[in-house]
Structures are given as structure tokens and as C-alpha cells.
Amino acid sequence: MLDLRQLRYFVTVAEEEHVGRAAERLHLSQSPLSRQIAQLEKNLGLTLFERSQQRIRLTSDGRVFLAEATALLRHADRLENLGRRLGRGDEGGLCIGYVGDAMHTGLLPRALRTLNEERPGIHVALYDLTAAQQFEGLHQRSLDIALVPEAPPESDPDLRSTLLLKDPVLLAMPSGRPLADVAEIGPEDLDGQPWIAVEDNQDHVWRDDFVAACAAAGFTPDIRFEAPEPLTALGLVASGLGNAFVQKSMLHGDLSGVTVRELPWFQRSAPLWAVWHRTDLRPVVASFRTTVLAAGAENAGTRT
């Protein structure tokens, strides 16, 4: 039987790659922490770390085990949260998974505001997770609803989904560049331009997808920077470091230094899906799902 405490110790040491720093984070002394890690390795019959005088590093087996341990601890935290809320009689509350698009499009905040008006005081736990992690959470019943950039596999018999919105992708350019003054921008105008690629799919193939989309449109981007999310990309654009494709919902507030254009020949959008488990019949889940779908319909109406 795995000891969750030992797993938490292991994950902390793996993150720090240093027993002393990990011990400080855990408010332990180094010797007991080292003993707990050694005991975990003995119980598993597995060497998790390569040790040297300066630092310790995960073995290849340790890296595999770390991914699974992190997922297990995340699920344990959600399960504990759910149990406490059930004990308080909160109708089970709601555990909601989401990606950034659900926030900056305004869809999730609107749905939560409606929920708060209809059921004041209900406990809501929000989890910023990848699509794969959210699908896993739905299967494990530690999440009630998922807001993700893709639908679950068609072969999955347990998950149901609805497309909520498609957020149009627009071209953001440095305002001081000659391209910003071109009346109609064509693919040839973007060929070889300095570019900021935005990670938008939370997976390892996002860069290839971006380059393929540009090539299909008729130009090749010269990628100078890779931004983890759109706001970072906009900051780099404003600094004159290159162009970027950014969702329309991100283009608000202070955009000084940034010129935005729609490209009729580049029809690309960022989708947002609602996904839930087919057998969850709790009234609060069904009610919130209806609220989310209504927020999606409202969002679609404002973008037409």
C-alpha cells in the first residue's frame, strides 16, 4: 500500500533536486526525509534517484513514477475536498476543471456568477488542468465538469460533450512596423516575418501545428520566440519583437504598441468544449451544465 505522505515527500525532492531545500519546504530535517525516500524505494524495489554530493536527480524510472505520483496526489486532494464538502452537506459542491480560454473569454466567470445567484454559498473548487487531466478527472469522478479546448475521443463511452464557442484568432503586429500600415495583408506579406508562437494546445505538438497552419495559409513564419500564453505574446508584440496570432477575447484593455487585423484568408479559431460524465445525475451538476451551455450560447451571440 502506497503511503501518500511518502509520495508527497518524493515529489518535493524531485522538484527541488536537493534534499536540503526539499526538507525546508516540508518543514523537516534532512535525515528523516532521506530515510522516508529510501524506505519508499525499498518498498517499491525501485531506484528513484541518482545521488551525488551536490544534488540528486531522477532516474528514468523515477521520471515515469513522478508523473503517476503527481496525478495520484492531485486526485487525492480533489477526493479529500469532495469528501469534506459532502460532510458539510453542500450537495457535493462542484469541482470544475478548466483551461485559460474559459476564463479570458468570460464564459466561466459568467457561469459562476449565475451559479452564485441561484445557489449562494455552494462550494466551488476550480482546477487549472490540461484536457487529458480533466478527462481523467471526469472518469475518476473527482471532476464534475470540464472546460477544455478539444472534445473527448469519440470512442469514449462515458463522456459527453458540447462545443461552447469558437474564439476567432486575429493577427497582432507591432504598431511601428511598415506592415501595420498595409491596407490588405496577404500571406506573402507575412512570409519570413519574425514571429512569436503561442502555446495553445497544452501538448507537445503545438509548435508543429502552428507551423503547419501557417504553411497551409501560404507563408512560413520565422519563429523567434515561444510564448506560454497569449498575454505574454502580446507583450512581446508591443515591444516590437514580432507578430503573433492571438484569440479575439484576449484583445482588450491597453493594446498600445499593438495593431490588430482580421485575415479573411486565415480562418482559425480556438474552440472551447464542455465535457461531463454521462452518469452524474446530481441536480447541482445538471444545473451548472445548463448554465455553462447558456453562457456558451450567449458568448456565441456576442461574436456573430
Side-chain angles (χ1 to χ4, degrees):
M1 180 69 68
L2 286 172
D3 185 329
L4 291 183
R5 182 186 59 174
Q6 286 184 342
L7 289 183
R8 294 188 194 280
Y9 292 169
F10 160 68
V11 170
T12 304
V13 173
E15 291 173 347
E16 294 291 342
E17 293 188 333
H18 192 281
V19 175
R21 290 194 297 270
E24 290 180 4
R25 277 181 56 185
L26 294 165
H27 305 291
L28 295 172
S29 59
Q30 294 187 37
S31 295
L33 178 57
S34 296
R35 287 197 297 270
Q36 290 293 330
I37 297 300
Q39 185 63 50
L40 176 62
E41 290 180 312
K42 180 180 178 180
N43 292 341
L44 295 173
L46 182 66
T47 301
L48 298 171
F49 293 103
E50 297 173 349
R51 293 164 171 85
S52 67
Q53 290 184 345
Q54 283 74 31
R55 64 192 302 182
I56 62 175
R57 293 185 177 181
L58 287 168
T59 62
S60 57
D61 289 338
R63 286 192 293 272
V64 175
F65 189 76
L66 175 63
E68 294 300 324
T70 301
L72 176 60
L73 290 174
R74 186 184 298 115
H75 176 61
D77 289 341
R78 293 197 298 261
L79 189 60
E80 181 180 5
N81 193 6
L82 175 62
R84 291 182 185 279
R85 288 182 284 114
L86 286 169
R88 292 197 303 265
D90 292 341
E91 298 183 89
L94 276 172
C95 291
I96 302 169
Y98 72 97
V99 292
D101 287 356
M103 284 295 185
H104 62 66
T105 57
L107 186 143
L108 181 54
R110 284 199 302 275
L112 291 174
R113 183 172 59 246
T114 300
L115 174 69
N116 187 59
E117 292 170 352
E118 295 177 349
R119 297 172 182 264
I122 192 169
H123 186 89
V124 176
L126 299 175
Y127 299 96
D128 184 358
L129 303 169
T130 66
Q133 290 169 340
Q134 292 189 55
F135 294 154
E136 177 189 6
L138 290 173
H139 281 296
Q140 294 177 342
R141 315 314 297 275
S142 60
L143 288 180
D144 297 309
I145 192 165
L147 301 175
V148 291
E150 62 191 71
E154 293 184 3
S155 59
D156 193 317
D158 295 322
L159 300 185
R160 301 290 182 264
S161 63
T162 294
L163 179 63
L164 296 172
L165 60 87
K166 290 183 177 181
D167 195 5
V169 171
L170 306 181
L171 172 64
M173 305 172 290
S175 297
R177 295 290 177 84
L179 186 62
D181 297 324
V182 176
E184 294 185 8
I185 298 174
E188 65 281 359
D189 297 311
L190 299 178
D191 196 45
Q193 286 274 323
W195 214 268
I196 300 150
V198 184
E199 182 178 358
D200 62 356
N201 291 325
Q202 297 182 302
D203 60 33
H204 65 284
V205 300
W206 68 270
R207 195 178 193 276
D208 293 339
D209 288 346
F210 171 75
V211 173
C214 294
F219 70 96
T220 301
D222 178 10
I223 300 176
R224 303 285 182 86
F225 297 91
E226 296 179 357
E229 41 78 32
L231 284 178
T232 299
L234 283 173
L236 296 175
V237 172
S239 298
L241 296 175
N243 306 321
F245 282 123
V246 181
Q247 295 101 298
K248 186 176 181 180
S249 64
M250 299 297 300
L251 301 169
H252 51 77
D254 182 14
L255 291 177
S256 58
V258 178
T259 297
V260 179
R261 294 286 185 83
E262 294 187 27
L263 301 178
W265 48 267
F266 192 80
Q267 296 296 316
R268 194 171 173 86
S269 60
L272 184 66
W273 293 76
V275 186
W276 59 91
H277 198 282
R278 64 182 178 84
T279 61
D280 198 333
L281 302 179
R282 288 187 300 139
V284 65
V285 177
S287 176
F288 186 71
R289 184 175 65 215
T290 300
T291 299
V292 166
L293 298 182
E298 178 185 343
N299 189 292
T302 61
R303 297 185 184 277
T304 57

PDB file of all heavy atoms in Angstrom, residues 17 30 32 37 41 47 53 59 75 92 95 102 105 125 139 153 160 197 200 208-209 225 248 255 263-264 269 271 280:
ATOM      1  N   GLU A  17      15.335  18.724  -6.517  1.00  0.00           N
ATOM      2  CA  GLU A  17      16.592  18.041  -6.835  1.00  0.00           C
ATOM      3  C   GLU A  17      17.653  18.318  -5.767  1.00  0.00           C
ATOM      4  O   GLU A  17      18.842  18.410  -6.052  1.00  0.00           O
ATOM      5  CB  GLU A  17      17.110  18.434  -8.222  1.00  0.00           C
ATOM      6  CG  GLU A  17      16.230  17.952  -9.353  1.00  0.00           C
ATOM      7  CD  GLU A  17      16.849  18.171 -10.718  1.00  0.00           C
ATOM      8  OE1 GLU A  17      17.675  19.111 -10.852  1.00  0.00           O
ATOM      9  OE2 GLU A  17      16.538  17.408 -11.649  1.00  0.00           O
ATOM     10  N   GLN A  30      16.760  16.945   7.347  1.00  0.00           N
ATOM     11  CA  GLN A  30      17.147  16.166   6.172  1.00  0.00           C
ATOM     12  C   GLN A  30      17.162  14.665   6.422  1.00  0.00           C
ATOM     13  O   GLN A  30      16.764  13.889   5.556  1.00  0.00           O
ATOM     14  CB  GLN A  30      18.523  16.613   5.682  1.00  0.00           C
ATOM     15  CG  GLN A  30      18.560  18.032   5.152  1.00  0.00           C
ATOM     16  CD  GLN A  30      19.900  18.368   4.518  1.00  0.00           C
ATOM     17  OE1 GLN A  30      20.512  17.532   3.871  1.00  0.00           O
ATOM     18  NE2 GLN A  30      20.364  19.599   4.742  1.00  0.00           N
ATOM     19  N   PRO A  32      15.391  12.516   8.472  1.00  0.00           N
ATOM     20  CA  PRO A  32      14.108  11.795   8.343  1.00  0.00           C
ATOM     21  C   PRO A  32      13.586  11.783   6.913  1.00  0.00           C
ATOM     22  O   PRO A  32      13.001  10.781   6.473  1.00  0.00           O
ATOM     23  CB  PRO A  32      13.179  12.585   9.279  1.00  0.00           C
ATOM     24  CG  PRO A  32      14.075  13.275  10.236  1.00  0.00           C
ATOM     25  CD  PRO A  32      15.307  13.599   9.459  1.00  0.00           C
ATOM     26  N   ILE A  37      12.467   8.626   1.851  1.00  0.00           N
ATOM     27  CA  ILE A  37      12.687   8.359   0.428  1.00  0.00           C
ATOM     28  C   ILE A  37      13.316   6.983   0.239  1.00  0.00           C
ATOM     29  O   ILE A  37      12.915   6.219  -0.657  1.00  0.00           O
ATOM     30  CB  ILE A  37      13.574   9.453  -0.196  1.00  0.00           C
ATOM     31  CG1 ILE A  37      12.875  10.820  -0.121  1.00  0.00           C
ATOM     32  CG2 ILE A  37      13.893   9.110  -1.656  1.00  0.00           C
ATOM     33  CD1 ILE A  37      11.548  10.890  -0.839  1.00  0.00           C
ATOM     34  N   GLU A  41      11.765   3.736  -1.812  1.00  0.00           N
ATOM     35  CA  GLU A  41      12.488   2.976  -2.836  1.00  0.00           C
ATOM     36  C   GLU A  41      12.556   1.493  -2.466  1.00  0.00           C
ATOM     37  O   GLU A  41      12.398   0.621  -3.341  1.00  0.00           O
ATOM     38  CB  GLU A  41      13.894   3.545  -3.005  1.00  0.00           C
ATOM     39  CG  GLU A  41      13.922   4.922  -3.666  1.00  0.00           C
ATOM     40  CD  GLU A  41      15.332   5.459  -3.816  1.00  0.00           C
ATOM     41  OE1 GLU A  41      16.093   5.410  -2.821  1.00  0.00           O
ATOM     42  OE2 GLU A  41      15.674   5.927  -4.911  1.00  0.00           O
ATOM     43  N   THR A  47      14.901   2.134  -7.857  1.00  0.00           N
ATOM     44  CA  THR A  47      15.780   3.279  -7.618  1.00  0.00           C
ATOM     45  C   THR A  47      15.183   4.499  -8.281  1.00  0.00           C
ATOM     46  O   THR A  47      15.076   4.558  -9.507  1.00  0.00           O
ATOM     47  CB  THR A  47      17.195   3.019  -8.157  1.00  0.00           C
ATOM     48  OG1 THR A  47      17.746   1.860  -7.532  1.00  0.00           O
ATOM     49  CG2 THR A  47      18.102   4.213  -7.890  1.00  0.00           C
ATOM     50  N   GLN A  53      27.136  14.231  -4.525  1.00  0.00           N
ATOM     51  CA  GLN A  53      27.363  15.066  -3.344  1.00  0.00           C
ATOM     52  C   GLN A  53      26.589  16.380  -3.420  1.00  0.00           C
ATOM     53  O   GLN A  53      26.135  16.904  -2.403  1.00  0.00           O
ATOM     54  CB  GLN A  53      28.859  15.363  -3.186  1.00  0.00           C
ATOM     55  CG  GLN A  53      29.673  14.146  -2.790  1.00  0.00           C
ATOM     56  CD  GLN A  53      31.131  14.492  -2.551  1.00  0.00           C
ATOM     57  OE1 GLN A  53      31.585  15.562  -2.938  1.00  0.00           O
ATOM     58  NE2 GLN A  53      31.863  13.591  -1.909  1.00  0.00           N
ATOM     59  N   THR A  59      16.021   9.100 -11.806  1.00  0.00           N
ATOM     60  CA  THR A  59      16.354   8.108 -12.817  1.00  0.00           C
ATOM     61  C   THR A  59      15.245   8.109 -13.872  1.00  0.00           C
ATOM     62  O   THR A  59      14.218   8.764 -13.717  1.00  0.00           O
ATOM     63  CB  THR A  59      16.460   6.711 -12.187  1.00  0.00           C
ATOM     64  OG1 THR A  59      15.169   6.365 -11.635  1.00  0.00           O
ATOM     65  CG2 THR A  59      17.501   6.687 -11.071  1.00  0.00           C
ATOM     66  N   HIS A  75      -5.370  13.789  -7.574  1.00  0.00           N
ATOM     67  CA  HIS A  75      -6.676  13.158  -7.409  1.00  0.00           C
ATOM     68  C   HIS A  75      -7.025  13.011  -5.931  1.00  0.00           C
ATOM     69  O   HIS A  75      -8.175  13.233  -5.532  1.00  0.00           O
ATOM     70  CB  HIS A  75      -6.675  11.793  -8.083  1.00  0.00           C
ATOM     71  CG  HIS A  75      -7.951  11.020  -7.886  1.00  0.00           C
ATOM     72  ND1 HIS A  75      -9.166  11.480  -8.321  1.00  0.00           N
ATOM     73  CD2 HIS A  75      -8.190   9.833  -7.275  1.00  0.00           C
ATOM     74  CE1 HIS A  75     -10.105  10.607  -8.005  1.00  0.00           C
ATOM     75  NE2 HIS A  75      -9.537   9.608  -7.366  1.00  0.00           N
ATOM     76  N   GLY A  92     -22.602  18.111  -2.387  1.00  0.00           N
ATOM     77  CA  GLY A  92     -21.402  17.655  -3.061  1.00  0.00           C
ATOM     78  C   GLY A  92     -20.606  18.794  -3.640  1.00  0.00           C
ATOM     79  O   GLY A  92     -19.473  18.613  -4.041  1.00  0.00           O
ATOM     80  N   CYS A  95     -16.747  20.520  -8.499  1.00  0.00           N
ATOM     81  CA  CYS A  95     -15.334  20.510  -8.871  1.00  0.00           C
ATOM     82  C   CYS A  95     -15.260  20.745 -10.374  1.00  0.00           C
ATOM     83  O   CYS A  95     -15.741  19.913 -11.157  1.00  0.00           O
ATOM     84  CB  CYS A  95     -14.684  19.183  -8.502  1.00  0.00           C
ATOM     85  SG  CYS A  95     -14.508  18.916  -6.723  1.00  0.00           S
ATOM     86  N   ALA A 102     -11.308  29.428 -20.918  1.00  0.00           N
ATOM     87  CA  ALA A 102     -12.599  29.510 -20.226  1.00  0.00           C
ATOM     88  C   ALA A 102     -12.690  30.772 -19.380  1.00  0.00           C
ATOM     89  O   ALA A 102     -13.784  31.314 -19.173  1.00  0.00           O
ATOM     90  CB  ALA A 102     -12.809  28.273 -19.352  1.00  0.00           C
ATOM     91  N   THR A 105     -12.243  34.318 -21.999  1.00  0.00           N
ATOM     92  CA  THR A 105     -13.422  34.581 -22.832  1.00  0.00           C
ATOM     93  C   THR A 105     -14.591  35.094 -22.000  1.00  0.00           C
ATOM     94  O   THR A 105     -15.579  35.581 -22.548  1.00  0.00           O
ATOM     95  CB  THR A 105     -13.884  33.307 -23.574  1.00  0.00           C
ATOM     96  OG1 THR A 105     -14.150  32.277 -22.609  1.00  0.00           O
ATOM     97  CG2 THR A 105     -12.826  32.822 -24.557  1.00  0.00           C
ATOM     98  N   ALA A 125     -14.763  24.347  -6.327  1.00  0.00           N
ATOM     99  CA  ALA A 125     -13.315  24.176  -6.430  1.00  0.00           C
ATOM    100  C   ALA A 125     -12.936  24.208  -7.904  1.00  0.00           C
ATOM    101  O   ALA A 125     -13.537  23.501  -8.722  1.00  0.00           O
ATOM    102  CB  ALA A 125     -12.882  22.862  -5.797  1.00  0.00           C
ATOM    103  N   HIS A 139     -13.436  10.751 -15.440  1.00  0.00           N
ATOM    104  CA  HIS A 139     -13.541   9.300 -15.308  1.00  0.00           C
ATOM    105  C   HIS A 139     -13.433   8.867 -13.849  1.00  0.00           C
ATOM    106  O   HIS A 139     -14.140   7.960 -13.405  1.00  0.00           O
ATOM    107  CB  HIS A 139     -12.447   8.617 -16.131  1.00  0.00           C
ATOM    108  CG  HIS A 139     -12.744   8.544 -17.595  1.00  0.00           C
ATOM    109  ND1 HIS A 139     -13.801   7.830 -18.104  1.00  0.00           N
ATOM    110  CD2 HIS A 139     -12.127   9.108 -18.669  1.00  0.00           C
ATOM    111  CE1 HIS A 139     -13.833   7.941 -19.424  1.00  0.00           C
ATOM    112  NE2 HIS A 139     -12.824   8.724 -19.791  1.00  0.00           N
ATOM    113  N   PRO A 153     -12.317  11.724 -26.961  1.00  0.00           N
ATOM    114  CA  PRO A 153     -12.318  10.777 -28.084  1.00  0.00           C
ATOM    115  C   PRO A 153     -13.714  10.216 -28.341  1.00  0.00           C
ATOM    116  O   PRO A 153     -14.462   9.936 -27.405  1.00  0.00           O
ATOM    117  CB  PRO A 153     -11.352   9.679 -27.609  1.00  0.00           C
ATOM    118  CG  PRO A 153     -10.480  10.340 -26.588  1.00  0.00           C
ATOM    119  CD  PRO A 153     -11.349  11.355 -25.905  1.00  0.00           C
ATOM    120  N   ARG A 160     -19.630  12.872 -22.324  1.00  0.00           N
ATOM    121  CA  ARG A 160     -20.488  13.611 -23.254  1.00  0.00           C
ATOM    122  C   ARG A 160     -19.929  15.031 -23.388  1.00  0.00           C
ATOM    123  O   ARG A 160     -19.328  15.563 -22.451  1.00  0.00           O
ATOM    124  CB  ARG A 160     -21.926  13.659 -22.739  1.00  0.00           C
ATOM    125  CG  ARG A 160     -22.550  12.288 -22.529  1.00  0.00           C
ATOM    126  CD  ARG A 160     -22.806  11.600 -23.863  1.00  0.00           C
ATOM    127  NE  ARG A 160     -23.440  10.294 -23.673  1.00  0.00           N
ATOM    128  CZ  ARG A 160     -22.787   9.148 -23.643  1.00  0.00           C
ATOM    129  NH1 ARG A 160     -21.455   9.146 -23.741  1.00  0.00           N
ATOM    130  NH2 ARG A 160     -23.425   8.003 -23.489  1.00  0.00           N
ATOM    131  N   ALA A 197       5.407  32.444 -31.494  1.00  0.00           N
ATOM    132  CA  ALA A 197       4.466  31.323 -31.485  1.00  0.00           C
ATOM    133  C   ALA A 197       3.878  31.177 -30.088  1.00  0.00           C
ATOM    134  O   ALA A 197       4.589  31.258 -29.087  1.00  0.00           O
ATOM    135  CB  ALA A 197       5.163  30.037 -31.894  1.00  0.00           C
ATOM    136  N   ASP A 200      -0.813  26.875 -27.453  1.00  0.00           N
ATOM    137  CA  ASP A 200      -2.257  26.961 -27.235  1.00  0.00           C
ATOM    138  C   ASP A 200      -2.952  25.622 -27.054  1.00  0.00           C
ATOM    139  O   ASP A 200      -4.145  25.580 -26.794  1.00  0.00           O
ATOM    140  CB  ASP A 200      -2.929  27.716 -28.384  1.00  0.00           C
ATOM    141  CG  ASP A 200      -2.766  27.017 -29.735  1.00  0.00           C
ATOM    142  OD1 ASP A 200      -2.064  25.992 -29.796  1.00  0.00           O
ATOM    143  OD2 ASP A 200      -3.330  27.513 -30.731  1.00  0.00           O
ATOM    144  N   ASP A 208       4.411  22.277 -34.021  1.00  0.00           N
ATOM    145  CA  ASP A 208       4.231  21.710 -35.358  1.00  0.00           C
ATOM    146  C   ASP A 208       2.877  22.110 -35.946  1.00  0.00           C
ATOM    147  O   ASP A 208       2.768  22.396 -37.136  1.00  0.00           O
ATOM    148  CB  ASP A 208       4.344  20.182 -35.312  1.00  0.00           C
ATOM    149  CG  ASP A 208       5.758  19.722 -34.964  1.00  0.00           C
ATOM    150  OD1 ASP A 208       6.699  20.517 -35.147  1.00  0.00           O
ATOM    151  OD2 ASP A 208       5.908  18.575 -34.504  1.00  0.00           O
ATOM    152  N   ASP A 209       1.843  22.117 -35.102  1.00  0.00           N
ATOM    153  CA  ASP A 209       0.518  22.525 -35.576  1.00  0.00           C
ATOM    154  C   ASP A 209       0.527  23.977 -36.047  1.00  0.00           C
ATOM    155  O   ASP A 209      -0.092  24.321 -37.059  1.00  0.00           O
ATOM    156  CB  ASP A 209      -0.520  22.362 -34.455  1.00  0.00           C
ATOM    157  CG  ASP A 209      -0.846  20.899 -34.178  1.00  0.00           C
ATOM    158  OD1 ASP A 209      -0.478  20.049 -35.014  1.00  0.00           O
ATOM    159  OD2 ASP A 209      -1.454  20.611 -33.143  1.00  0.00           O
ATOM    160  N   PHE A 225      10.481  33.663 -30.920  1.00  0.00           N
ATOM    161  CA  PHE A 225      10.146  33.447 -29.513  1.00  0.00           C
ATOM    162  C   PHE A 225       8.985  32.465 -29.412  1.00  0.00           C
ATOM    163  O   PHE A 225       8.158  32.371 -30.322  1.00  0.00           O
ATOM    164  CB  PHE A 225       9.744  34.761 -28.819  1.00  0.00           C
ATOM    165  CG  PHE A 225      10.828  35.788 -28.758  1.00  0.00           C
ATOM    166  CD1 PHE A 225      10.963  36.727 -29.765  1.00  0.00           C
ATOM    167  CD2 PHE A 225      11.717  35.810 -27.698  1.00  0.00           C
ATOM    168  CE1 PHE A 225      11.973  37.680 -29.726  1.00  0.00           C
ATOM    169  CE2 PHE A 225      12.728  36.759 -27.642  1.00  0.00           C
ATOM    170  CZ  PHE A 225      12.853  37.694 -28.657  1.00  0.00           C
ATOM    171  N   LYS A 248      -9.307  36.560 -30.158  1.00  0.00           N
ATOM    172  CA  LYS A 248     -10.005  37.849 -30.078  1.00  0.00           C
ATOM    173  C   LYS A 248     -10.339  38.233 -28.648  1.00  0.00           C
ATOM    174  O   LYS A 248     -10.295  39.414 -28.279  1.00  0.00           O
ATOM    175  CB  LYS A 248     -11.287  37.787 -30.913  1.00  0.00           C
ATOM    176  CG  LYS A 248     -12.034  39.101 -31.025  1.00  0.00           C
ATOM    177  CD  LYS A 248     -13.239  38.965 -31.939  1.00  0.00           C
ATOM    178  CE  LYS A 248     -13.980  40.289 -32.078  1.00  0.00           C
ATOM    179  NZ  LYS A 248     -15.163  40.143 -32.988  1.00  0.00           N
ATOM    180  N   LEU A 255      -3.718  48.155 -25.397  1.00  0.00           N
ATOM    181  CA  LEU A 255      -3.039  47.495 -26.510  1.00  0.00           C
ATOM    182  C   LEU A 255      -2.078  48.462 -27.192  1.00  0.00           C
ATOM    183  O   LEU A 255      -1.857  48.378 -28.407  1.00  0.00           O
ATOM    184  CB  LEU A 255      -4.054  46.957 -27.517  1.00  0.00           C
ATOM    185  CG  LEU A 255      -4.920  45.782 -27.057  1.00  0.00           C
ATOM    186  CD1 LEU A 255      -5.922  45.406 -28.131  1.00  0.00           C
ATOM    187  CD2 LEU A 255      -4.060  44.578 -26.693  1.00  0.00           C
ATOM    188  N   LEU A 263      -7.765  38.506 -40.765  1.00  0.00           N
ATOM    189  CA  LEU A 263      -7.277  37.997 -42.042  1.00  0.00           C
ATOM    190  C   LEU A 263      -8.323  37.054 -42.620  1.00  0.00           C
ATOM    191  O   LEU A 263      -8.460  35.919 -42.142  1.00  0.00           O
ATOM    192  CB  LEU A 263      -5.950  37.257 -41.851  1.00  0.00           C
ATOM    193  CG  LEU A 263      -4.789  38.082 -41.253  1.00  0.00           C
ATOM    194  CD1 LEU A 263      -3.561  37.191 -41.089  1.00  0.00           C
ATOM    195  CD2 LEU A 263      -4.475  39.289 -42.112  1.00  0.00           C
ATOM    196  N   PRO A 264      -9.086  37.497 -43.633  1.00  0.00           N
ATOM    197  CA  PRO A 264     -10.144  36.646 -44.186  1.00  0.00           C
ATOM    198  C   PRO A 264      -9.632  35.303 -44.706  1.00  0.00           C
ATOM    199  O   PRO A 264     -10.379  34.313 -44.712  1.00  0.00           O
ATOM    200  CB  PRO A 264     -10.720  37.507 -45.325  1.00  0.00           C
ATOM    201  CG  PRO A 264     -10.361  38.905 -44.955  1.00  0.00           C
ATOM    202  CD  PRO A 264      -9.045  38.819 -44.265  1.00  0.00           C
ATOM    203  N   SER A 269      -9.627  29.370 -35.304  1.00  0.00           N
ATOM    204  CA  SER A 269     -10.242  29.768 -34.040  1.00  0.00           C
ATOM    205  C   SER A 269      -9.823  28.802 -32.942  1.00  0.00           C
ATOM    206  O   SER A 269      -9.357  27.690 -33.210  1.00  0.00           O
ATOM    207  CB  SER A 269     -11.771  29.806 -34.152  1.00  0.00           C
ATOM    208  OG  SER A 269     -12.269  28.519 -34.496  1.00  0.00           O
ATOM    209  N   PRO A 271     -11.307  26.643 -30.065  1.00  0.00           N
ATOM    210  CA  PRO A 271     -12.580  26.121 -29.549  1.00  0.00           C
ATOM    211  C   PRO A 271     -12.542  25.895 -28.043  1.00  0.00           C
ATOM    212  O   PRO A 271     -11.477  25.724 -27.445  1.00  0.00           O
ATOM    213  CB  PRO A 271     -12.740  24.794 -30.297  1.00  0.00           C
ATOM    214  CG  PRO A 271     -11.335  24.346 -30.541  1.00  0.00           C
ATOM    215  CD  PRO A 271     -10.522  25.603 -30.744  1.00  0.00           C
ATOM    216  N   ASP A 280     -23.573  11.233 -14.101  1.00  0.00           N
ATOM    217  CA  ASP A 280     -23.706  12.114 -12.939  1.00  0.00           C
ATOM    218  C   ASP A 280     -25.059  12.813 -12.976  1.00  0.00           C
ATOM    219  O   ASP A 280     -25.295  13.701 -13.789  1.00  0.00           O
ATOM    220  CB  ASP A 280     -22.583  13.148 -12.909  1.00  0.00           C
ATOM    221  CG  ASP A 280     -22.441  13.776 -11.527  1.00  0.00           C
ATOM    222  OD1 ASP A 280     -23.454  13.824 -10.803  1.00  0.00           O
ATOM    223  OD2 ASP A 280     -21.340  14.190 -11.166  1.00  0.00           O
TER     224      ASP A 280
END
